[in-house]
Amino acid sequence: MGTRTKTDMAAPSQPHQATYDTIVIGAGIQGSFTAYHLAQRHRDTLLLEQFILPHSRGSSHGQSRITRSAYPRVPYARMMPDSFRLWKQLEDEAGTSLYRRTGLVVLGPAGDPELEGCRQSLGDNRVLDAVELAQHFPGLRLHAGEVALWDSTGGVLFADRALWAVQDAFRRHGGTLQDGEQVLHIEPGAVLTITTTAGVYRAPRLIITAGAWTRALLAPLGLHLPLQVCYHHGSPTDPDERDRVPPGTPRPDVTLLSSFISSYLPGLEPSPAVVETCLYTNTPDGDFILDRHPKYSNIIIGAGFSGHGFKLAPVVGKLLCELSLGEEPSHSTAPFAITRFPGVVRAAL
């Protein structure tokens, strides 16, 4: 017997009209986990995605993502134990493996502030000298003046499988996932009205986790967040034009990676066998935005994950769920407040 899921198919001649407890815009890993937590809490939740699923237009696709406990920034280091626990919870619920623990080596110049932050998050006993590194990882070359840290929790998250698993769990908890529906208009109010290419929906709470499209959705609501879209820390790009890069365009990020492989892993072929692109939506300081709209408090924003959000998605989803319900967040969201960009907020409103 197949699993019964709550889902609808859009019919252009018969637009959807429905009311929910909460609407989440953007079905990447952050929005999907947010919707999952809401559905777990028995909130009737609609998760909207502009592209037909699965797709590779955003930041959550691909075979794998790295995960680790080592973090130079304290807020993320404190959130990681909760994230590992929630990933395991989803694994158990889905009945499939979503994470392979491999361990992680962190390399860097001795005394480097970011490396020192990672060392503090792991403890002094995680430092490997050149002899220990050579014993455990003979293919890895440590250069003069560099040190290595060992993170035993590090490993690989199976990205596509994880995204499917959390969306499937969301549906099994009674959630509704609508893909192929682009949001055209957001009308704020005590009950918000969301108009898409296929229907009109209403809810007292809205959560926007639209990745590279977040800024465009928020601009008509008087909020211009300092978000830049790019491939990792490469050149800024228009998310709707990313697939139109001419063949033969230089790839400095691939060149940088190949150079690193040649220098630190000389036994490997430095040219990548497969190249997949993934959009980053960066904030100026590289930290997330997890906050309420300054004017419309029933609009919650999760954005600017800056390339390190996937591993923390279970916690991010929980925090956005808690913010939308007016609860005290289980982790401090102060480092992720919109008010850290005061000039932008004042100019926008």
Side-chain angles (χ1 to χ4, degrees):
M1 181 180 294
T3 302
R4 184 180 178 184
T5 59
K6 184 179 179 183
T7 185
D8 299 308
M9 296 301 291
S13 59
Q14 296 179 327
H16 294 121
Q17 295 196 36
T19 299
Y20 295 86
D21 294 331
T22 310
I23 296 172
V24 180
I25 299 175
I29 196 66
Q30 311 297 347
S32 295
F33 259 113
T34 301
Y36 163 76
H37 283 292
L38 285 161
Q40 268 196 323
R41 304 279 289 276
H42 307 293
R43 265 54 178 198
D44 190 15
T45 304
L46 171 65
L47 177 58
L48 289 171
E49 170 56 47
Q50 65 175 322
F51 300 115
I52 299 294
L53 294 170
H55 70 86
S56 59
R57 302 292 300 276
S59 306
S60 299
H61 66 282
Q63 296 185 25
S64 63
R65 294 292 188 282
I66 195 171
T67 190
R68 65 186 189 274
S69 293
Y71 251 110
R73 291 272 285 115
V74 171
Y76 303 114
R78 288 177 175 168
M79 291 161 68
M80 279 310 302
D82 198 13
S83 190
F84 277 114
R85 180 184 64 81
L86 290 169
W87 277 116
K88 181 63 167 61
Q89 177 181 299
L90 180 62
E91 277 190 325
D92 293 342
E93 187 174 343
T96 188
S97 174
L98 303 177
Y99 160 62
R100 181 159 64 92
R101 182 171 169 173
T102 62
L104 175 78
V105 175
V106 182
L107 301 175
D112 177 81
E114 288 205 3
L115 191 75
E116 180 63 19
C118 289
R119 186 193 64 75
Q120 290 176 2
S121 71
L122 293 171
D124 288 329
N125 61 336
R126 304 298 179 93
V127 179
L128 301 178
D129 60 27
V131 174
E132 291 174 309
L133 188 68
Q135 288 175 343
H136 294 288
F137 305 99
L140 192 56
R141 178 187 294 167
L142 193 66
H143 296 271
E146 295 179 336
V147 295
L149 307 179
W150 171 245
D151 181 351
S152 63
T153 69
V156 176
L157 290 166
F158 306 128
D160 284 338
R161 192 188 302 179
L163 185 60
W164 177 87
V166 70
Q167 290 172 352
D168 189 58
F170 164 65
R171 291 191 190 98
R172 282 189 278 103
H173 284 288
T176 301
L177 173 57
Q178 300 278 104
D179 63 352
E181 288 198 42
Q182 182 182 3
V183 172
L184 302 176
H185 182 68
I186 299 170
E187 182 65 34
V191 175
L192 300 117
T193 301
I194 313 300
T195 303
T196 75
T197 48
V200 178
Y201 308 97
R202 294 177 177 85
R205 291 177 290 271
L206 172 67
I207 303 172
I208 299 176
T209 52
W213 290 267
T214 298
R215 185 171 179 172
L217 285 172
L218 288 171
L221 299 173
L223 187 60
H224 299 269
L225 294 180
L227 300 173
Q228 183 179 81
V229 188
C230 64
Y231 300 120
H232 197 69
H233 297 290
S235 302
T237 187
D238 181 336
D240 292 316
E241 302 288 331
R242 57 168 292 184
D243 294 330
R244 301 179 188 178
V245 178
T249 300
R251 297 293 300 271
D253 49 348
V254 175
T255 301
L256 181 65
L257 179 61
S258 296
S259 176
F260 176 87
I261 296 296
S262 297
S263 180
Y264 287 88
L265 295 160
L268 293 184
E269 164 59 47
S271 299
V274 177
V275 176
E276 287 186 319
T277 58
C278 176
L279 286 180
Y280 278 25
T281 307
N282 291 335
T283 58
D285 57 12
D287 286 331
F288 306 163
I289 293 173
L290 307 174
D291 205 353
R292 296 179 177 87
H293 190 292
K295 186 176 181 182
Y296 308 112
S297 61
N298 59 346
I299 299 177
I300 311 300
I301 302 157
F305 295 101
S306 304
H308 59 116
F310 200 102
K311 68 183 74 62
L312 285 157
V315 179
V316 167
K318 183 169 73 166
L319 291 172
L320 293 173
C321 169
E322 291 164 346
L323 284 172
S324 75
L325 297 176
E327 299 175 354
E328 184 70 22
S330 49
H331 296 271
S332 173
T333 57
F336 314 119
I338 292 172
T339 51
R340 73 185 194 268
F341 309 116
V344 176
V345 174
R346 283 198 298 266
L349 299 179

